[in-house]
Amino acid sequence: MTRTYEFLKKAGTFYLATTDHDQARVRPFGAVCIYNGKLYITTSNKKKCFEQMIENPKVEISGMVGGEWIRLTGEVVRDSSVEAKKAMLEANPSLRNMYAVDDGKFEVLYFSKAEAVFNAFGKTPETEKF
């Protein structure tokens, strides 16, 4: 999971895909952290993407750094613990402009059943599972 985390941090912006009934939805994300041995992302529970992840937790993330890209597939699990939210804010201080631990909208979710595939043209794909 460390390689996946470092790749996503280096990418800065990565794209999260969810499903909205029978329609794929993709949007940019940029905050990740590792807490308690799990990879976390964050969003607001006021956004449709949060509703979509709760309804169908199977998601994919894709991002690029130079000529390399990642495709992360897995399921997200909501974590309402204060500690996980604090960890996300510590790892991504810019989020403090939008969220607070107890604001009623800040959500963190971690990946389970995750598989990250790292690709580059002319290279054999490499996989990290966690």
Side-chain angles (χ1 to χ4, degrees):
M1 155 188 19
T2 302
R3 183 175 179 190
T4 299
Y5 170 76
E6 290 173 359
F7 191 98
L8 294 174
K9 287 298 273 187
K10 192 172 182 180
T13 301
F14 48 89
Y15 298 88
L16 174 81
T18 61
T19 56
D20 183 10
H21 305 287
D22 65 344
Q23 178 63 50
R25 302 288 181 194
V26 179
R27 78 273 295 152
F29 269 56
V32 293
C33 82
I34 293 177
Y35 173 70
N36 267 356
K38 297 173 183 158
L39 181 73
Y40 280 77
I41 59 173
T42 185
T43 192
S44 167
N45 59 24
K46 308 295 183 205
K47 295 182 178 180
K48 288 192 180 271
C49 69
F50 178 74
E51 293 174 25
Q52 293 159 5
M53 288 188 284
I54 296 302
E55 186 175 317
N56 181 355
K58 294 179 181 179
V59 300
E60 285 195 359
I61 284 178
S62 183
M64 289 193 76
V65 174
E68 298 181 328
W69 66 94
I70 187 173
R71 190 157 120 198
L72 171 60
T73 304
E75 295 183 21
V76 289
V77 178
R78 182 182 185 190
D79 183 343
S80 58
S81 73
V82 169
E83 296 80 13
K85 291 178 181 182
K86 284 182 179 178
M88 180 62 78
L89 291 173
E90 285 178 25
N92 301 274
S94 64
L95 291 174
R96 292 185 181 126
N97 296 329
M98 298 184 296
Y99 301 119
V101 170
D102 59 354
D103 65 9
K105 63 182 179 179
F106 182 43
E107 298 286 348
V108 293
L109 305 100
Y110 64 85
F111 271 84
S112 71
K113 303 176 188 173
E115 179 178 273
V117 179
F118 301 88
N119 291 283
F121 291 115
K123 292 186 178 178
T124 303
E126 296 177 16
T127 302
E128 180 177 59
K129 294 183 180 185
F130 52 95

